[in-house]
Amino acid sequence: MIIQDFNYALRLLAKKPGFTALTTLVMAAGIGLSVYMFSFFNTIIYKDLPFQDGDSLVLVSSSQNGKRESNGINLLDYAEVRSSVSGLSEFGAYQNASVNVSGRDGARRYKAIYTEANIFAITRTKATVGGGFSPTDNLIGAEPVTVIGYNMWQNQFGGEPNVIGQSLPINGSSHRIIGVMPQGYLFPNNTQLWLPLKVDYGQITRESAQIAHGIAHIHDSSTLAQVNQQLQVVMQRLELKHPDTNNGISAYIDSIPGSREGEAYSVIYSMHIVAVLILLLASINVGNLLLSRAVERGKETAIRVALGAPRSRLISQMLWESIIICSFGGLIGLLVLAWGLTITQSIVATFFVDPPSFWWTFGVDAYTMKLFFTILISTILVTGLLPAWKNSGGDFNSVLRDGTRGALGKKAGRLNRILVISEIFISVTVLIAAGVMVVAAYMQSNEDIGADIQNTLIAKILLSDDNYVSGEKKVQFAQTLQTSLAKGVGIEDVMISSALPGDWSRRTKFLLAGKEYTKDNNTSYPRANYIAIMPGALGTLGVELKQGRYFDSSDSGLEKKTALVSENFTKLHYPNESPIGKQLRLSDDDPADWITIVGVVENTIQGSREDKHIPTIFRPFTQDPRQQLTVAMHMSADVAKVTDTLRQTLMSIDPQLPSFQIETYEQNNARFTAPIQFVSSLVALFALAALVLAASGIYGVMANTISQRTQEIGIKRALGASEKTITREFMITGFTQFLIGGIPGLLAGCTMGFAMSQIFGTSNLAVFIIAFIMTFLIGAVVMLATYLPTRAALSMEPSEALHYE
Amino acid sequence: MSTALIKLDNIEKIFYTEEVETHALSNISLTIDKGEYVSISGPSGCGKSTLLSLLGLLDTNTSGKYNLANHDVSDISKSERARIRNMEIGFIFQSFNLISDLNVEENVDLPLSYRKDLSKNQRQALVQDALAKVDMSHRSKHFPSQLSGGQQQRVAVARAIAGNPSIILADEPTGNLDSKNAQAVMDLLDKLHSEGATICMVTHDPRSAEKAHRNITILDGQVISDQLNTIHDQQSLVG
Ligand SMILES: Nc1ncnc2c1ncn2[C@@H]1O[C@H](COP(=O)(O)OP(=O)(O)OP(=O)(O)O)[C@@H](O)[C@H]1O
Ligand SMILES: [Mg+2]
């Protein structure tokens, strides 16, 4: 019997190949797109770590004035947390670091962590060769040891087991290798080297204590929220006890992948909502197409019922159609989705200097399959039950003897209205959210970072070796590098800075001379990017001078204290006076170290484009040398030539010193906006799909409704209604439906839009304009979808319309 | 004294469908005076409904000339045609053609609602008047689906006469009714005629045709007979 219904449904579908192809494709698009979106975000945000108990691993971090910061927690605070918070166990702590390792073929830079001894136990992974750390390794004065990653073992030591006991020069000092971690173990973040974190808890004070990432396992019986509540209590106690250092500071835990989404919650939620809405839109469309077929067959169904067919058989038939269409469409969607995820892997790789987080493997995983089947079943139910609801509850007798006209039937008419209104609501919402995202991406990529980035090659150098500890050595290195490179082949200008405009830089808190800051509130100090740059480099980079002067040779000298500030610094702190000659000092520096402002330059953005409002303080590198430096070179030859010159120059200055991340300034800059551009193109694709689905769906329902009312139109015209009257009547109906669906859609879209604009810094006005345009667009679609079928119905002679079936 | 209300001159109607030409009407010349009660009959497919559609401006003739109340209406604009249908013509259909979403009152009000010269109160009065004439006042809030076929057709008649049109065009108004209901509708038309209405009715029921005062018979799109009904000889064409 079921087989019979299945065959019947198959025959019906085969009879209308166009219809079947259309519905299948719509379903494929809906399922494919939404599962992709979920799978993508699951991978980058929620995916469990690939080792045992990875799902119970949480990160302990601090927050400031309720704002979650992902840069770790003060070790003394953490000690308190360890002893008083229940619900967590196996506490550990680590710090991220970059280290230079000299090998046979020169020096290289590696991602490393300084960690407490239990890191491998916490992550339930044993070394493949040798062993892990013991707690004594963490003591000050203990022999320097290290555990290396599988790749390093293979590449540097040829995978030989006798690597254990060998010595490895890390940052210029020798470390004994005690273990090799298994392949694929890169915890916490593409790490290749593990070093013991050395802390003397007897010596450190709250002011001088280091910051580290706390890590622990949460008990099955505890929730994140419960532990967070406890953490707040503990931290409040500390705040009362140490107001100087702990004012406004609290702590929180989050799952490790989850801790990465940071502030972007609203974007991610919006994207998930968009994904669900797309799916709903596709389901409504297919449901409606099936429904209109059911209506077409309404008389046939009525006759069958009259002849005694049980209702269950009719529903079973209709459900089979949905099952076939959804499953087939879903299968196509799944194939495209698998392909899309593979591509995503390679695209996402371009967002980062290092490979992306090691658990970011995009693909059809267990989660994706589970989600796929859940979604498949829900779409079958939505698309199948819509027509079944219409037809099975129907009064077949009235269908058979329906003598009146406009015989759409009240129920079908209401259902059609609901369909149109939902499609309007969904498409307006999705288009506004997508519009905000796309505009934000566009604005971010076209943000003026303050410097000219064309035809420039950049490279980073880390002066971490012991022989660069003193400031003089660093300044000397920078000066030597600058003069040698300037003489090099293919290089026009050399600009050395701790961070280039556009790139991440150190941030600092500072005090302005003559201003009052509440002593007991360390959060009241203003913040700024804090960059050390060689004299002359700002002008060459194209960062324009607005007031005062650039740095020059007179600024050189470690004892001198001068600074340049950005325009937004002036606007923020000296809105009505010239900042030239004013003084500032860093909050954690000696209170006597006042720095004098000698000039104002144009605004630069450092790091995330969302932080463009943060002002910048420049110091001469010759006064305030740094470990990390970036060298930028205007090129008069091709990239390969200049790279070669750089390598050779560096080799001649210090053969132990690697340069890394050599790339053009433009590449470096693009990376900051690549993720948002990727997500925004994704969203644009969704928006396009939403527009096509909604437009075709709305048109379909409207055309259907109006065509079913052709006779009614004929009657009204016979009674003297002019074309204008009838057109207006339909347009008003269409417009009413547009308002009923569009206004809530506008509100929902704006809600998401405003939430996202908070993060991207898009102006409210922009959100309003986008919302208006998108609503207008859908309005135009609705009016057109009403107008065209109305015109078609009116093009008939009234006598013809009267006899239309 | 009668005046020519409808004057057809060599009317021809050709339907073009899929390269087939159907000559639904050819060479029809006809005059209908004010106050006449005309029946049109003939075998199925001979062109009766087509003729009625042309008379009611529901369709346009392929060639020929149509004068309605001394105005040439062969070539007027669509909106003007709509206005004439609204003001001058009342339709009654075989299948009632009430709008199912509207109740009895609203159905009758529909043609009046397209007019700009009537206030709401005036329309209300006309609707009640028309419903009273067909004896359907007690069902004014019912929906068509809650009425019997005969009742539906009486409402359709009320809708046709509510705006006091100069011509009532009926296409087999009793075709879907049993004899008792048919009789009631025919009596209604009779009454309307006696009150001065001009009526053109398509029918193939000889008993209905008897009620009319002039019988036109059509065959293959041409008028083959046009005679006064002798039963009503006291009222002649030039009465
Ligand atoms: N819209 C149309 N397109 C094509 N041919 C048409 C159309 N309307 C009517 N015809 C044809 O014109 C001829 C006359 O049709 P009409 O409806 O006037 O017949 P009728 O006399 O009313 O018949 P019946 O008594 O069966 O109602 C028929 O041959 C019919 O097929
Ligand atoms: Mg007919």
Side-chain angles (χ1 to χ4, degrees), chain A residues 800, chain B residues 15 17 22 24 42-51 171-172 204:
Chain A
E800 203 181 335
Chain B
F15 291 108
T17 40
T22 311
S44 179
C46 68
K48 305 181 295 289
S49 297
T50 306
L51 177 59
D171 194 345
E172 303 197 21
H204 52 229

